[in-house]
């Protein structure tokens, strides 16, 4: 660096430091600047307080007019406060901001991981009422600061918002011992002339909640999480469990339920609600199942100087026996809740089987203080004994056809060619008819068993009685019992099968394969079977493995035991039935004049026509070749 460059840099440095020295503020100027900044901070704080009180100011200055002289001390600018009510069943937290529930814990239940079970928590739910005065000014209660008034016994809480000295909004919550019901009443005191005409007649509600995951088996929990609602004096309906759905219900409604697999928060109107708008969104989230929202109107009644509207919240388990009790003393059909229909027990016929057979039997066995695994075992044995006559009838039908197998094989040898298929089938049907055997004799007993089997398929995934009860290696019979698990997402496999293998489901599959092999041997009547039939019979248990692997272990345990008992019963029938005596009886039947049943006559006539058409087609083909 040359001399001129060094001189230039020195001069620049002198100018910079000189400017900084002569232009720096004095001590008095620094104090004045600090005072200015403090004043800005105070102004910002005032504005923040004003923003917090904005809705209250609107209500005092614009909303109220009946008491025009509103003192400023009625403006309830305060910090948010949490007040709780609790009994043996639950603990509910209420916020003074909005005067609403912000958290509900069910004390007798836990999440699948053992942590406390909350139906909702602060930040996951919104509940508010929109009020409107005669000037068109609106006030949303969820933005207001209420004052809490707790009763001496701590069973009742009044959240009060003062519009003026003699005008206020009360939210009254009452909780009784050992109940899952929370009484909720809205009282608008001294506000009849303040509100717009339509706002005096109907309250406009909004209610939203994100439903947290509670169970290990997310796929099954997603399938059973739905919004339900009940028409006044009518049926219970629900929104889609698999897709996003929005719906407006035109008729009047008694209640709306935000439900997951085993628990629900249900708003029940003392009278009715109308113009109900519902929305359900499926969430691909590990923390939440669904996002629910609803908006509706509820009627107000005038009592003295109060406009009132009454409700109840049911916050608890979706337990059939517990929900059924809610209608125990209700005689008026329009007041019936029918909340037991929140338990998905299948369509009408299958639901009746569960209501009047399966659930009473399960409750009876539960009263013996047995483990749930033993109860399922006994339930399975009883069900199989009840269905034993049908199983025996199906076995006897296949046994009759089995002892006739040598005669059927003779017919097959007599008509070996493919073009003789009609003659062969007709001869076999004639043999069965003369012997008094119906090829469909085993189908009817199986069909009569189907309502029970399908009903039990609906019962186990919905039975909260199985939840968090262990048996053998299964820690929780209400979800799958994984013996092998993995975290890698495998396309198709993860979506349909899951990232695990359930042991009871695997045992069920093995036993079903054994049963299919044993059953095909028992039902071999000597007739030719359709190509691929054996493969299909073995493929069905594998399909059940894929389909049921994510289902509750209580269900697959039932199927495992049920199939095992069926095999044992069939073996028992095989050794107790004298097939020689059965054949002798069938030979005696051939000697008796026998009137053909209508079905057999129609079947033979159809075969005769089919055979005639085949011959005509064959003749036509020969004519063309000539």
């Amino acid at each position: 660096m040359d001399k001129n460059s060094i001189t230039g840099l020195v001069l620049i440095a002198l100018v910079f430091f000189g400017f900084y020295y002569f232009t720096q503020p004095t001590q008095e100027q620094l104090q004045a600047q600090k005072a200015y900044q403090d004043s800005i901070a105070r102004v910002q704080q005032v504005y923040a307080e004003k923003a917090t009180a904005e809705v209250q100011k609107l209500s005092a200055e614009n909303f109220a007019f009946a008491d025009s002289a509103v003192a400023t001390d009625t403006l309830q600018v305060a910090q948010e406060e949490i007040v709780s009510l609790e009994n043996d069943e639950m603990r509910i937290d209420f916020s003074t901001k909005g005067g609403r529930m912000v958290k509900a814990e069910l004390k007798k239940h836990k999440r699948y991981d053992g942590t406390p079970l909350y139906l909702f928590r602060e930040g996951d739910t919104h509940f508010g009422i929109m009020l409107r005065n005669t000037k068109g000014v609106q006030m949303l209660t969820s933005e207001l600061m209420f004052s809490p008034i707790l009763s001496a016994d701590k069973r009742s809480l009044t959240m009060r918002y003062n519009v003026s000295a003699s005008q206020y909004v009360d939210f009254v919550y009452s909780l009784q011992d050992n109940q899952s019901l929370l009484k909720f009443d809205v009282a608008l005191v001294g506000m009849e002339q303040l509100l717009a005409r339509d706002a005096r007649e109907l309250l406009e509600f909004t209610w939203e909640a994100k439903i947290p995951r509670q169970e290990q088996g997310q796929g099954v929990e997603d399938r059973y999480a739905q919004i339900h609602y009940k028409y006044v004096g009518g049926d219970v309906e629900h929104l889609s469990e698999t897709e996003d759905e929005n719906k407006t219900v035109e008729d009047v409604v008694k209640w709306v339920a935000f439900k997951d697999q085993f628990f629900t928060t249900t708003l029940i109107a003392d009278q009715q609600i109308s113009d109900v708008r519902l929305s359900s969104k499926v969430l691909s989230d590990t923390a939440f199942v669904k996002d629910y929202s609803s908006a509706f109107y509820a009627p107000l009644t005038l009592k003295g100087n109060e406009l009132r509207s009454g409700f109840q919240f049911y916050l608890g388990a979706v337990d059939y026996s517990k929900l059924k009790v809610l209608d125990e003393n209700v005689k008026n059909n329009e007041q019936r809740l029918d909340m037991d229909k929140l338990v998905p027990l299948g369509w009408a016929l299958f639901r009746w089987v569960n209501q009047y057979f399966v659930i009473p039997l399960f409750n009876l066995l539960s009263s013996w203080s047995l483990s749930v695994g033993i109860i399922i075992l006994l339930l399975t044995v009883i069900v199989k004994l009840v269905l034993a006559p049908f199983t025996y009838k199906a076995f006897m039908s296949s046994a009759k056809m089995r002892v006739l197998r040598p005669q059927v094989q003779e017919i097959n040898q007599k008509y070996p060619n493919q073009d003789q298929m009609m003659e062969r089938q007709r001869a076999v049907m004639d043999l069965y008819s003369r012997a008094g055997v119906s090829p469909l004799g085993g189908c009817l007993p199986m069909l009569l068993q189907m309502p029970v089997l399908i009903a039990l398929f609906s019962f186990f995934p919905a039975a909260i009685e199985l939840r968090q009860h262990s048996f053998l290696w299964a820690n929780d019979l209400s979800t799958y019992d994984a013996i092998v698990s993995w975290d890698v997402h495998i396309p198709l496999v993860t979506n349909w099968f899951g990232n695990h293998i359930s042991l009871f489901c695997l045992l069920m599959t093995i036993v079903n394969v054994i049963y299919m092999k044993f059953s095909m041997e028992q039902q071999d009547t000597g007739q030719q079977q359709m190509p691929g039939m054996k493969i299909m019979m073995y493929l069905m248990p594998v399909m059940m493995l894929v389909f049921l692997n994510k289902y509750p272990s209580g269900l697959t345990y039932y199927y495992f035991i049920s199939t095992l008992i069926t095999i044992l019963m069939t073996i028992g029938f095989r050794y107790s039935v004298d097939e020689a005596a059965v054949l002798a009886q069938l030979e005696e039947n051939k000697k008796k004049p026998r009137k053909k049943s209508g079905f057999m006559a129609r079947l033979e006539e159809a075969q005769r026509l089919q055979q005639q058409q085949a011959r005509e087609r064959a003749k036509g083909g020969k004519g063309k070749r000539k």
Side-chain angles (χ1 to χ4, degrees), residues 103-150:
K103 184 163 65 174
E105 177 188 358
L106 299 185
K107 297 164 70 173
K108 294 184 177 180
H109 300 276
K110 300 291 182 183
R111 294 183 74 242
Y112 73 93
D113 56 3
T115 57
L117 191 150
Y118 297 99
L119 294 176
F120 51 83
R121 283 177 285 191
E122 190 169 1
D124 301 335
T125 184
H126 170 86
F127 188 88
I129 300 174
M130 182 68 74
L131 302 175
R132 189 174 68 260
N133 72 4
T134 54
K135 298 178 182 179
V137 177
Q138 294 183 334
M139 181 172 69
L140 184 61
T141 61
S142 59
E143 300 300 326
L144 305 178
M145 281 302 222
F146 285 70
S147 297
I149 305 170
L150 189 62

Side-chain angles (χ1 to χ4, degrees), residues 56 59 76 139 144-146 159-163 168-169:
Q56 286 84 350
S59 65
Q76 303 163 60
M139 181 172 69
L144 305 178
M145 281 302 222
F146 285 70
M159 286 289 190
R160 177 168 294 176
Y161 174 75
N162 289 312
V163 176
Y168 50 87
V169 178

Side-chain angles (χ1 to χ4, degrees), residues 506-519:
L506 184 60
L507 291 174
M508 174 202 72
T509 304
I510 294 171
V511 172
N512 265 297
V513 170
I514 295 171
Y515 174 69
M516 287 297 179
K517 184 176 186 304
F518 183 74
S519 179

Side-chain angles (χ1 to χ4, degrees), residues 195-372:
L195 297 170
R197 182 173 180 179
D198 58 345
R200 290 178 234 156
E201 298 173 352
L202 295 171
L203 282 176
E204 182 180 355
F205 286 79
T206 56
W207 178 28
E208 302 170 359
K210 293 175 71 176
I211 307 302
R213 292 196 179 277
Q214 313 288 6
E215 314 304 328
Q216 181 182 3
Q218 294 185 4
V220 177
E221 186 178 14
D222 291 346
R223 193 174 298 116
Y224 285 89
Q226 297 170 301
I227 290 182
H228 287 70
Y229 58 94
K230 182 189 184 300
Y231 293 108
V232 174
D235 293 332
V236 175
E237 302 289 348
H238 60 81
L239 268 59
S240 172
E241 69 276 16
T242 57
E243 299 178 351
D244 295 350
E245 184 176 0
N246 300 309
K247 185 172 185 178
T248 298
V249 184
E250 297 180 356
D251 209 345
V252 291
V253 169
K254 183 64 178 177
W255 52 256
V256 172
F258 287 2
K259 175 185 172 294
D260 60 23
Q261 185 177 1
F262 291 120
F263 304 97
T264 181
T265 302
T266 303
L267 176 70
I268 308 166
D270 288 354
Q271 299 180 48
Q272 63 189 36
I273 55 178
S274 59
D275 192 21
V276 181
R277 288 148 287 164
L278 303 172
S279 174
S280 174
K281 295 181 180 179
V282 179
L283 301 178
S284 56
D285 193 330
T286 58
F288 298 95
V289 182
K290 301 282 175 67
D291 189 353
Y292 296 148
S293 67
S294 65
F296 50 86
Y297 293 90
L300 283 162
T301 56
L302 181 62
K303 294 183 179 180
N305 69 333
E306 295 183 6
L307 290 167
R308 299 187 68 89
S309 191
F311 308 86
Q312 292 184 94
F313 280 101
Y314 177 88
L315 304 107
V318 182
D319 184 327
Y320 178 84
S321 300
K322 189 174 182 180
L323 295 172
K324 193 71 175 175
V325 172
L326 297 178
D327 284 330
E328 197 171 37
N329 298 316
V330 178
K331 297 181 179 178
N332 185 347
N333 186 52
E334 292 191 353
Q335 292 300 316
R336 287 188 60 83
L337 299 180
D338 292 329
M339 284 183 59
D340 56 283
K341 292 184 179 178
L342 286 174
V343 185
L345 297 176
W347 295 336
L349 175 59
F350 314 125
R351 187 175 186 86
W352 294 338
V353 173
N354 278 319
Q355 283 180 307
Y356 302 113
F357 174 63
V358 177
I359 292 178
L361 180 57
F362 191 95
N363 291 341
L364 174 64
L365 296 174
S366 299
S367 67
W368 297 352
S369 301
L370 303 171
S371 73
V372 175

